[in-house]
Amino acid sequence: MRVFVTGASGWIGSAIVPELIGAGHQVIGLARSDASAAALTAAGAKVHRGTLDDLDSLRSAASASDGVIHLAFEHDLAFSGHFQRAADADRRAVETFGEALVGSDRPFVIASGILGLAPGRVGTEGDEHDRGPGAAPLIGGAQTRIATARMALSLASRGVSSSVVRLSPTVHGKGDHGFVATLIDIARDKGVSGYIGDGANRWPAVHRIDAAHLFRLALEKAPAGSTLHGVANEGVPIRDIAEVIGRHLDLPVVTISPQDAGGHFGWLAGFLAADSPASSALTRELVGWQPRHPGLIDDLDQGHYFHQESA
Ligand SMILES: NC(=O)c1ccc[n+]([C@@H]2O[C@H](COP(=O)([O-])OP(=O)(O)OC[C@H]3O[C@@H](n4cnc5c(N)ncnc54)[C@H](OP(=O)(O)O)[C@@H]3O)[C@@H](O)[C@H]2O)c1
């Protein structure tokens, strides 16, 4: 297939590109800068220059493809206090891809998140992000992202083979600059490795290379309207993560009260407090996915997170 990939130069995208090319697909990656374009060319992909805001350009790239994988998200904007703006741009891009693909039966795979899915119990692919009356959103704009995923799935009834890959909050591996790398930076900065309350709350986790494989399977095999879970570890207690970090950095491992969490962890606090274990049993059955790479604690114990420059 000729696959148009947004976010192809990013953390997960740069693992998906070789995964797709290795399976015989052709990749056309969206690039917003010379550096991203050069990285895509070096990886063997073709380059489509543009940004998420160039909707005409996104439409023509999607129309010329046999399938689309949408990963780009303005994290720089989102995690500097403008999550809603990033989520709005994402929604417009997904709407545009949807319009371009209606009636084509071509695959359209988007990335989304699991966190907050079924607080306090193991969430499944059949669950919806319905946090109940009065539940505080994890971050402003998160509801928009959830609505965007629903909209993508609804395209299945209009002749688009759409699927949503809900990713664990940590897609880990060598070179990670996401939540776990940020937690390590905070521990270094504060001189303690912290968790909130008793730290028994859990995050699911998946290795980046396993996640990349899942996106390829979604493109090739997922039935229209499927929700898939990028989950290898169902739920790793945050306290276990803090303990490995403390051991590797030789720092005390301490509890931080919920009241002090915002001051200590900054924007990460809301995410770090979530108890959001999730299963991928249905995903494994549906597309034959089998994660093979190290789990989160083993990956942290390999030491590479502690030798890299902070993100
Ligand atoms: N990483 C995780 O643990 C995780 C967990 C849950 C969900 N997700 C979701 O998975 C997807 C991929 O995440 P990631 O970690 O790979 O993200 P990432 O490393 O931050 O990469 C983001 C990608 O989007 C591109 N991009 C950002 N703004 C753009 C714009 N305005 N126009 C065009 N391209 C733009 C970036 O291009 P440049 O290379 O030019 O910067 C980069 O290729 C995202 O939707 C993310 O929210 C990730």
Side-chain angles (χ1 to χ4, degrees):
M1 273 188 252
R2 218 177 115 80
V3 190
F4 179 52
V5 183
T6 74
S9 54
W11 167 238
I12 300 167
S14 58
I16 291 177
V17 171
E19 170 76 32
L20 292 174
I21 292 174
H25 300 294
Q26 192 185 354
V27 175
I28 301 95
L30 179 69
R32 61 173 168 171
S33 69
D34 291 345
S36 297
L40 290 179
T41 304
K46 292 206 154 87
V47 173
H48 182 92
R49 284 302 290 254
T51 76
L52 278 181
D53 298 320
D54 301 336
L55 298 181
D56 287 341
S57 165
L58 296 185
R59 193 176 294 114
S60 63
S63 300
S65 74
D66 300 314
V68 175
I69 297 181
H70 172 54
L71 306 159
F73 195 78
E74 293 174 298
H75 289 127
D76 38 3
L77 199 62
F79 295 125
S80 58
H82 304 287
F83 198 99
Q84 184 66 57
R85 272 171 56 196
D88 286 340
D90 179 57
R91 177 180 48 75
R92 287 191 293 270
V94 171
E95 277 168 1
T96 302
F97 290 136
E99 285 162 25
L101 296 175
V102 159
S104 70
D105 285 330
R106 282 178 255 163
F108 175 35
V109 187
I110 73 162
S112 193
I114 276 181
L115 219 52
L117 180 62
R121 67 173 175 82
V122 178
T124 73
E125 292 85 341
D127 283 314
E128 298 263 359
H129 272 93
D130 176 6
R131 307 191 71 236
L138 294 171
I139 191 166
Q143 296 304 337
T144 303
R145 247 201 132 175
I146 291 164
T148 299
R150 282 202 190 109
M151 187 238 299
L153 292 177
S154 74
L155 291 164
S157 65
R158 299 175 61 211
V160 182
S161 196
S162 58
S163 58
V164 172
V165 177
R166 287 185 192 146
L167 287 162
S168 298
T170 168
V171 179
H172 56 89
K174 278 189 186 142
D176 182 8
H177 57 269
F179 286 179
V180 169
T182 303
L183 195 58
I184 291 169
D185 286 344
I186 294 169
R188 279 202 178 97
D189 185 43
K190 303 281 182 186
V192 294
S193 177
Y195 54 87
I196 300 172
D198 65 5
N201 63 304
R202 296 151 294 173
W203 273 4
V206 65
H207 193 280
R208 172 178 174 250
I209 306 298
D210 287 322
H213 183 50
L214 177 57
F215 274 93
R216 174 165 73 82
L217 294 177
L219 178 90
E220 293 174 348
K221 292 187 177 182
S226 321
T227 297
L228 304 172
H229 275 187
V231 169
N233 299 127
E234 279 199 358
V236 184
I238 300 297
R239 185 175 177 153
D240 291 4
I241 301 173
E243 278 169 358
V244 191
I245 294 173
R247 183 153 36 81
H248 280 268
L249 295 181
D250 199 17
L251 293 173
V253 180
V254 301
T255 176
I256 306 293
S257 73
Q259 300 88 299
D260 294 337
H264 188 91
F265 295 107
W267 61 263
L268 191 63
F271 299 100
L272 201 62
D275 183 34
S276 209
S279 153
S280 57
L282 296 172
T283 298
R284 294 174 196 225
E285 203 181 300
L286 196 63
V287 296
W289 181 59
Q290 186 59 52
R292 298 186 192 287
H293 288 267
L296 176 60
I297 298 296
D298 287 347
D299 199 13
L300 281 164
D301 260 333
Q302 289 184 359
H304 54 85
Y305 271 91
F306 307 99
H307 303 138
Q308 69 196 30
E309 286 301 306
S310 55

